Amino acid sequence: DVKVTQSSRYLVKRTGEKVFLECVQDMDHENMFWYRQDPGLGLRLIYFSYDVKMKEKGDIPEGYSVSREKKERFSLILESASTNQTSMYLCASSPPPGRRNTEAFFGQGTRLTVV
Amino acid sequence: AQSVAQPEDQVNVAEGNPLTVKCTYSVSGNPYLFWYVQYPNRGLQFLLKYITGDNLVKGSYGFEAEFNKSQTSFHLKKPSALVSDSALYFCAVPNNAGNMLTFGGGTRLMVKP
């Protein structure tokens, strides 16, 4: 069974802390994504990566950075957490670019609360 | 840019009745369309996709979707709703490069006993 695993289901962090959200996939997918999900706003893309050490900004990259040192792992970093970053964060992976007919696979989500 | 829209924030249906969750799309070229479901406190799960061919696509858990080119719609349907179908449903479309999905705003389906 294919898997995308996020390291934490729930996190509580303090304002100003540096926060790491980790995601690992076992499908040898080139593409990996970080989305943020908020009520009424749906899913918004923060960053994606199409290869090791490669990254592209999504729709809402401000306040976030990412790291992809290995193909299977994609990390989202909140440099200095703020309360407006309280949200559900979803990681996903998918096969190579150009294969538009192939679905993405999602992790179970990390609900982050910044206090 | 490719986009999808879900005009209803919430759909309420009684158990045993048919359900429809609406999605309209705006794409250039041939559309590739997806439906995902999210159960409470979980990630998204793939339900079904339209690539080409038959306009009626069958997917997981008894769901199906009807592709309508003239109405630019891809509505999700099920003949008989279950309480366990209550969840958040997302329609999605890939960009032209195929390296990311754009999601609709989501529709919450509530199935009441």
Side-chain angles (χ1 to χ4, degrees), chain A residues 9-10 31 33 35 37 40-43 45 48 50 88 90 94-109 111, chain B residues 2 28 30-32 34 36 38 40-46 49 51 88 90 94-106:
Chain A
R9 290 293 304 274
Y10 301 94
N31 294 335
F33 310 86
Y35 288 91
Q37 182 181 12
L41 296 176
L43 273 71
L45 182 65
F48 75 97
Y50 53 88
M88 171 74 104
L90 293 168
S94 72
R99 294 177 59 178
R100 295 190 293 146
N101 59 346
T102 306
E103 64 267 26
F105 296 84
F106 282 80
Q108 77 277 25
R111 187 166 294 281
Chain B
Q2 320 287 67
S28 55
N30 294 322
Y32 293 71
F34 297 79
Y36 285 81
Q38 185 181 34
N41 295 313
R42 303 291 297 276
L44 274 67
Q45 296 177 32
F46 169 76
K49 62 186 176 186
I51 303 169
L88 194 54
F90 290 95
N95 65 352
N96 285 330
N99 56 9
M100 72 175 77
L101 285 171
T102 298
F103 288 85

Side-chain angles (χ1 to χ4, degrees), chain B residues 62-97:
Chain B
F63 282 91
E64 56 191 25
E66 186 173 9
F67 172 73
N68 188 316
K69 188 173 183 178
S70 63
Q71 297 184 2
T72 61
S73 67
F74 188 55
H75 299 333
L76 183 70
K77 300 183 178 185
K78 189 174 183 181
S80 179
L82 300 172
V83 172
S84 57
D85 292 329
S86 298
L88 194 54
Y89 291 81
F90 290 95
C91 182
V93 62
N95 65 352
N96 285 330

Side-chain angles (χ1 to χ4, degrees), chain A:
Chain A
D1 198 15
V2 296
K3 274 193 175 177
V4 178
T5 304
Q6 295 181 229
S7 54
S8 302
R9 290 293 304 274
Y10 301 94
L11 275 179
V12 179
K13 296 292 182 180
R14 295 193 181 277
T15 300
E17 275 193 79
K18 190 169 186 176
V19 181
F20 293 85
L21 302 184
E22 306 287 346
C23 175
V24 177
Q25 51 99 0
D26 65 359
M27 294 166 282
D28 201 36
H29 285 163
E30 277 75 5
N31 294 335
M32 295 189 75
F33 310 86
W34 277 105
Y35 288 91
R36 172 177 170 161
Q37 182 181 12
D38 299 287
L41 296 176
L43 273 71
R44 293 179 291 169
L45 182 65
I46 305 171
Y47 269 97
F48 75 97
S49 168
Y50 53 88
D51 203 349
V52 175
K53 297 191 185 296
M54 305 304 289
K55 60 184 179 183
E56 293 285 344
K57 293 181 180 179
D59 299 321
I60 52 164
E62 295 79 18
Y64 303 94
S65 63
V66 291
S67 172
R68 191 153 181 214
E69 296 297 317
K70 294 185 178 181
K71 189 176 185 180
E72 67 271 18
R73 186 179 297 271
F74 192 36
S75 302
L76 180 69
I77 304 157
L78 286 66
E79 297 291 342
S80 177
S82 64
T83 55
N84 63 12
Q85 293 178 309
T86 292
S87 187
M88 171 74 104
Y89 290 88
L90 293 168
C91 176
S93 73
S94 72
R99 294 177 59 178
R100 295 190 293 146
N101 59 346
T102 306
E103 64 267 26
F105 296 84
F106 282 80
Q108 77 277 25
T110 296
R111 187 166 294 281
L112 172 67
T113 302
V114 183
V115 297

